[in-house]
Amino acid sequence: MSRMNRQWVLRQRPKGEIQDGDLELVSSPIPDIRDGEVLIRTVYLSLDPTNRTWMNDSEGYLPPVGLGDVMRGLTLGVVEASKSTRWAVGDIVSTAAGGWADYGVVNEAAVSRVHRAPGLPLTANMSVMGMTGMTAYFGVTDVLRPQPGQTMVISAAAGAVGSIAGQVARQKGARVIGIAGGPKKCAWLTDELGFDAAIDYKNEDVGAALDRLAPDGVDLNFENVGGDIMIAVWNRLNIGARMAVCGLVSAYNATQMPPSPNFSRLITHRLHVQGFLVLDYQSRAREMVAEMGPWLASGQVKWKVHVDDGLEGALTSLNRLFTGDHDGKLLVRVSEEPA
Ligand SMILES: NC(=O)c1ccc[n+]([C@@H]2O[C@H](COP(=O)([O-])OP(=O)(O)OC[C@H]3O[C@@H](n4cnc5c(N)ncnc54)[C@H](OP(=O)(O)O)[C@@H]3O)[C@@H](O)[C@H]2O)c1
């Protein structure tokens, strides 16, 4: 009897927060692979705020997931069968083509090799040494380019990207203020990661806290959240300040457009505002590995992953990204790691 594969399929486009019935977990036999294809057993599924945006029928940097299609997601897995000359059984690989599923039948060209970093767990490849680490590293070093002594503010600072971005900026000599939800996350930023200050946006007025912590204004903003938090930072950007727009997570479940900042400050304060996508930096991954590797080995940069077990809980897990109920890069363990 053929083995079965569970897959999360998009049934209808969520309006606001994801509701029961928007996606369905279905089971079907694993199809035979054809020439040039591999069968990948998913070990880890990366859950990312952008997953929610892919469910919308709106203009994005990737096409929307089609109704009836398997939910797209970045996975790390093991090749279990191969009709490819490039990939062998047992190879550890990553792909975005397998999706939220136990197994993916994937074209050989849509697969990348995972190089285990010496001394680091495999989850590092799905976090600090993977896509989120790249986002943080290049957002800071290529987009913001901090100079020693500059004041940088980061929103969603205790998250996967924000926590690394803040530490990279500290390594480059910036003074870093993180904005995060709750005293525990804020204490982690200042006491363990070495952030200069943290603002608990759930319990403090962000604007007033910025006035106290950055009385000379803000030189650099690594923006992950948008909305009122972004506007509070925007209104305190100095002349010539740089802003890296990485994400706008507060808007991903929104049914109405969030408030916009006052664009006239772009002119009056000669602001440099740049959106960026980690996809554009894939060819420069080695630069990140070369600089981040020693920081991780020496403990100068710290990181956390939050692993939930079971593909069946993936939707519940995804919602953690919007409530903040996770501690580090959010992953789902779909099956056991290879020995
Ligand atoms: N441009 C790119 O290529 C790229 C690549 C990866 C990620 N990103 C973006 O980077 C950002 C962070 O992603 P991540 O993967 O590192 O996720 P994450 O920060 O680990 O998780 C999301 C965090 O956002 C905060 N948050 C959620 N809703 C919020 C709201 N309404 N107001 C304030 N804070 C809210 C929560 O933190 P608290 O507990 O502190 O509230 C939550 O933990 C996202 O905007 C994402 O889209 C961009």
Side-chain angles (χ1 to χ4, degrees):
M1 202 179 95
S2 34
R3 282 188 301 171
M4 300 299 279
N5 186 19
R6 294 173 306 159
Q7 299 171 304
W8 278 102
V9 169
L10 184 65
R11 290 292 181 218
Q12 59 194 15
R13 305 213 175 272
K15 294 184 178 66
E17 289 172 20
I18 299 166
Q19 305 291 331
D20 287 348
D22 290 342
L23 287 96
E24 185 187 4
L25 188 62
V26 299
S27 218
S28 57
I30 300 173
D32 293 333
I33 56 172
R34 296 170 298 188
D35 285 346
E37 288 182 338
V38 288
L39 174 68
I40 300 170
R41 169 171 62 84
T42 308
V43 176
Y44 291 110
L45 166 66
S46 175
L47 292 182
D48 301 287
T50 195
N51 296 162
R52 175 63 189 82
T53 70
W54 297 340
M55 297 175 190
N56 298 337
D57 188 14
S58 54
E59 188 185 17
Y61 62 96
L62 292 175
V65 174
L67 294 180
D69 288 353
V70 177
M71 182 58 205
R72 183 190 297 133
L74 185 65
T75 59
L76 178 152
V78 186
V79 174
E80 288 220 335
S82 175
K83 286 196 175 174
S84 159
T85 50
R86 292 195 218 169
W87 303 106
V89 170
D91 283 348
I92 301 178
V93 295
S94 72
T95 181
W100 290 25
D102 289 316
Y103 294 90
V105 173
V106 177
N107 186 281
E108 60 185 0
V111 178
S112 310
R113 192 171 302 281
V114 169
H115 301 278
R116 273 183 190 255
L120 295 179
L122 206 45
T123 50
N125 293 82
M126 292 293 271
S127 53
V128 68
M129 292 297 260
M131 189 268 293
T132 46
M134 295 255 299
T135 308
Y137 180 81
F138 288 109
V140 173
T141 61
D142 196 65
V143 181
L144 289 176
R145 290 177 256 134
Q147 301 300 312
Q150 286 189 314
T151 296
M152 175 184 308
V153 176
I154 304 183
S155 51
V161 171
S163 60
I164 305 303
Q167 294 179 85
V168 171
R170 288 275 299 139
Q171 293 298 322
K172 300 291 177 187
R175 180 172 171 266
V176 177
I177 301 170
I179 303 174
K184 205 169 150 208
K185 288 190 178 185
C186 287
W188 183 59
L189 294 178
T190 52
D191 300 352
E192 292 191 42
L193 303 193
F195 280 46
D196 296 278
I199 299 170
D200 174 0
Y201 76 89
K202 289 187 175 168
N203 294 294
E204 285 178 84
D205 179 288
V206 174
L210 285 171
D211 288 339
R212 177 170 45 84
L213 296 168
D216 296 328
V218 175
D219 304 306
L220 306 164
N221 176 209
F222 193 110
E223 188 52 50
N224 286 319
V225 169
D228 290 336
I229 289 176
M230 177 178 76
I231 290 171
V233 181
W234 175 271
N235 288 340
R236 290 159 179 83
L237 291 175
N238 288 328
I239 289 175
R242 304 178 74 82
M243 178 174 178
V245 186
C246 176
L248 300 170
V249 66
S250 70
Y252 296 171
N253 274 325
T255 50
Q256 286 184 325
M257 285 294 282
S260 292
N262 172 5
F263 269 32
S264 65
R265 290 194 104 245
L266 275 169
I267 306 162
T268 57
H269 287 66
R270 286 80 108 195
L271 303 176
H272 301 266
V273 180
Q274 186 184 329
F276 72 99
L277 278 176
V278 66
L279 298 176
D280 296 333
Y281 290 97
Q282 297 304 315
S283 63
R284 295 176 60 183
R286 280 170 194 223
E287 286 175 48
M288 185 275 289
V289 172
E291 195 160 25
M292 193 84 91
W295 289 339
L296 294 176
S298 65
Q300 282 165 286
V301 168
K302 301 187 175 86
W303 54 289
K304 284 185 187 174
V305 291
H306 179 126
V307 180
D308 280 344
D309 275 305
L311 180 68
E312 62 282 359
L315 265 190
T316 309
S317 296
L318 183 71
N319 277 327
R320 291 182 185 278
L321 295 168
F322 304 105
T323 60
D325 179 23
H326 63 108
D327 197 15
K329 171 70 190 106
L330 185 59
L331 301 175
V332 172
R333 183 166 27 224
V334 178
S335 67
E336 287 305 312
E337 284 191 17

